[in-house]
Amino acid sequence: MLQRLVIIGAGFAGMYAALSAARLRDSQGVSPKDLEIALIAPEPTLVVRPRLYEPRPETLTAPLDGVFKAIDVVYIQGRVDTVDVDTHSVEVIDPKDQRSALSYDRLIIATGSRLFRPDIPGLAEHGFSVDSLDDAMKLDRHLHALADRPASLARDTVVVAGGGFTGIEAATEMPARLRKILGDDADIRVVIVDRGEAIAPDMGPGPRPIIEKALTDLGIETRFGAGVSALDDTGVTLSNSERIESATVIWAAGMRAAPLTAQIPGERDNFGRLIVDRDLRVIGVPGVFATGDAAKAAIDDAGNFAYMSCQHATRMGAFAGNNAAAELLGAKTSIYHQEAYVTCLDLGGAGAVYTEGWDREVKHVGDTAKKIKQEINTVWIYPPKAERAAALASADPERVTDL
């Protein structure tokens, strides 16, 4: 009798879930006619989301249809509107708005995350982001259109709301992007605004002096202890009443799991992530796994949990796919673990900073770290070749890169 494993999402976690499930199916000598692996997503494309702060975002995608065909994964174009865990089925809406039901024996929620946009006056109308491909392309078009405006303080000023990883990478890339568009004579100003008391709060004290020096070298200003309270078409007003004239405000403050996770009757954390066990099963919901940014997962026995990052999503996806398929095939599951942890933060024209360990010990800075970042961004996080043997070999959960 045909069994079906359904994966929702074609991001890093979903892609590796499909690869890993297909790998285990192949290693067990099971035919795709006996175990169908189906992946549902709006497009058979991986958006290279960690790079969306860069110029030319329209180039930052990678096709997945060839990979899926090579490993006998069924791609279903559409979006999942509802999940019914009682009947083990999902409702899919295709590009023509036609609805259909698809049953599953095991389900993997790999729907990723979205930028958290609070109800701040003017944010929806005037704010930009690098959260999705469409958002990044909209920002890029806006930046190029600035060249058609007369020089002014607002035109030449970019405000980045959020001093975390995304905010720093967007801000440090901005001086070079603006100079290329507006010319070397433009009086460019970039300001990072954050309610916290220091830049990169999650990075800790080790890398912070390097980041602070990079901001100084690039001429980037900071405003701490204040948030954005309102936006309009000429700038932002901060919670301390300061006014910053700006035609470009980039929101980079906070993430939440995608809304579909709310349909799963499991416990969630403050980010909306489903609580999973060490095999990545959603606790208390038979037949459902969650992975990537949709899951809160312990990564070791020391109390550390996966971050909402590509680094953790790829490996989590491989374990989720393997384990969901293993349950259907009567094979042994594998406990998800990811003891190694690194951070490589792009600092634009000031290079990068590379750290290792949960205490973020700085290992490389400047040009050396920049080369590592470029290798990660252009090689390591891209899909494998659309060749069956190579694609399946890339998805061994124990060997999937920790980056």
Side-chain angles (χ1 to χ4, degrees), residues 60 95 120 234 236 259 263 388 399:
L60 302 178
I120 293 175
T234 61
V236 298
Q263 295 191 25
R388 185 178 182 85
R399 300 182 65 183

Side-chain angles (χ1 to χ4, degrees), residues 352-391:
V353 55
Y354 174 89
T355 72
E356 293 182 356
W358 290 96
D359 58 353
R360 292 192 170 90
E361 182 181 356
V362 176
K363 294 292 186 179
H364 302 288
V365 298
D367 291 342
T368 302
K370 188 78 164 186
K371 289 178 181 178
I372 297 173
K373 181 67 171 180
Q374 290 170 341
E375 180 80 3
I376 293 170
N377 274 5
T378 60
V379 179
W380 293 0
I381 63 176
Y382 274 71
K385 292 182 179 180
E387 299 172 356
R388 185 178 182 85

Side-chain angles (χ1 to χ4, degrees), residues 74-126:
V74 177
Y75 167 66
I76 299 173
Q77 186 171 28
R79 60 181 178 84
V80 173
D81 185 56
T82 58
V83 177
D84 190 329
V85 300
D86 294 323
T87 62
H88 279 215
S89 65
V90 299
E91 186 176 52
V92 182
I93 302 177
D94 70 16
K96 296 181 179 180
D97 287 332
Q98 298 298 308
R99 293 175 178 268
S100 61
L102 183 70
S103 64
Y104 66 82
D105 295 284
R106 292 295 182 275
L107 176 67
I108 299 177
I109 307 293
T111 46
S113 59
R114 295 183 181 179
L115 183 67
F116 174 62
R117 292 177 169 90
D119 188 20
I120 293 175
L123 178 59
E125 297 85 357
H126 305 292

Side-chain angles (χ1 to χ4, degrees), residues 13 20 31 36 68 98-99 119 148 165 168 198 313 315 317 338 369 380 394 401:
S20 186
S31 168
E36 178 181 281
F68 293 152
Q98 298 298 308
R99 293 175 178 268
D119 188 20
D148 297 328
F165 291 7
I168 292 168
R315 190 168 168 97
Q338 194 164 353
W380 293 0
S394 73
T401 178

Side-chain angles (χ1 to χ4, degrees), residues 8-319:
I8 307 175
F12 293 100
M15 174 183 70
Y16 269 95
L19 285 163
S20 186
R23 172 188 171 276
L24 184 65
R25 180 182 62 185
D26 189 72
S27 70
Q28 297 286 311
V30 176
S31 168
K33 295 180 180 179
D34 295 319
L35 174 57
E36 178 181 281
I37 301 168
L39 185 144
I40 306 168
E43 298 292 339
T45 304
L46 176 72
V47 175
V48 190
R49 195 178 182 193
R51 297 185 61 187
L52 292 181
Y53 64 91
E54 298 180 20
R56 301 181 65 217
E58 69 277 6
T59 67
L60 302 178
T61 63
L64 292 175
D65 46 355
V67 176
F68 293 152
K69 289 176 182 176
I71 62 175
D72 293 309
V73 165
V74 177
Y75 167 66
I76 299 173
Q77 186 171 28
R79 60 181 178 84
V80 173
D81 185 56
T82 58
V83 177
D84 190 329
V85 300
D86 294 323
T87 62
H88 279 215
S89 65
V90 299
E91 186 176 52
V92 182
I93 302 177
D94 70 16
K96 296 181 179 180
D97 287 332
Q98 298 298 308
R99 293 175 178 268
S100 61
L102 183 70
S103 64
Y104 66 82
D105 295 284
R106 292 295 182 275
L107 176 67
I108 299 177
I109 307 293
T111 46
S113 59
R114 295 183 181 179
L115 183 67
F116 174 62
R117 292 177 169 90
D119 188 20
I120 293 175
L123 178 59
E125 297 85 357
H126 305 292
F128 295 90
S129 86
V130 292
D131 182 52
S132 68
L133 182 62
D134 287 345
D135 288 348
M137 291 172 63
K138 179 182 177 182
L139 171 63
D140 196 57
R141 290 192 298 269
H142 167 79
L143 292 175
H144 280 87
L146 292 175
D148 297 328
R149 301 187 186 187
S152 69
L153 183 60
R155 186 201 72 165
D156 296 345
T157 299
V158 172
V159 174
V160 178
F165 291 7
T166 302
I168 292 168
E169 291 189 325
T172 55
E173 187 73 22
M174 201 53 60
R177 288 181 73 172
L178 289 175
R179 287 193 183 94
K180 189 171 182 179
I181 294 168
L182 301 177
D184 292 335
D185 294 334
D187 188 15
I188 292 167
R189 184 187 186 201
V190 179
V191 185
I192 296 176
V193 177
D194 194 282
R195 290 184 179 276
E197 298 302 323
I199 196 70
D202 290 337
M203 291 289 284
R208 188 167 294 132
I210 298 163
I211 298 169
E212 290 172 340
K213 183 178 186 304
L215 298 181
T216 299
D217 291 347
L218 293 170
I220 295 173
E221 302 173 35
T222 55
R223 299 288 189 276
F224 296 119
V228 172
S229 60
L231 292 77
D232 55 47
D233 58 357
T234 61
V236 298
T237 301
L238 305 187
S239 57
N240 61 4
S241 300
E242 181 182 0
R243 172 77 180 177
I244 302 177
E245 298 298 315
S246 173
T248 310
V249 181
I250 302 173
W251 188 261
M255 303 295 292
R256 296 292 185 272
L260 193 69
T261 57
Q263 295 191 25
I264 309 302
E267 185 181 354
R268 284 171 288 277
D269 70 359
N270 292 337
F271 298 103
R273 298 181 299 176
L274 292 159
I275 308 299
V276 297
D277 65 18
R278 293 301 297 274
D279 282 345
L280 302 181
R281 302 180 192 89
V282 178
I283 296 173
V285 188
V288 179
F289 291 71
T291 189
D293 289 359
K296 181 179 180 180
I299 68 169
D300 56 27
D301 296 323
N304 294 308
F305 289 84
Y307 280 128
M308 299 168 87
S309 69
C310 166
Q311 175 180 177
H312 288 129
T314 53
R315 190 168 168 97
M316 287 175 71
F319 275 89

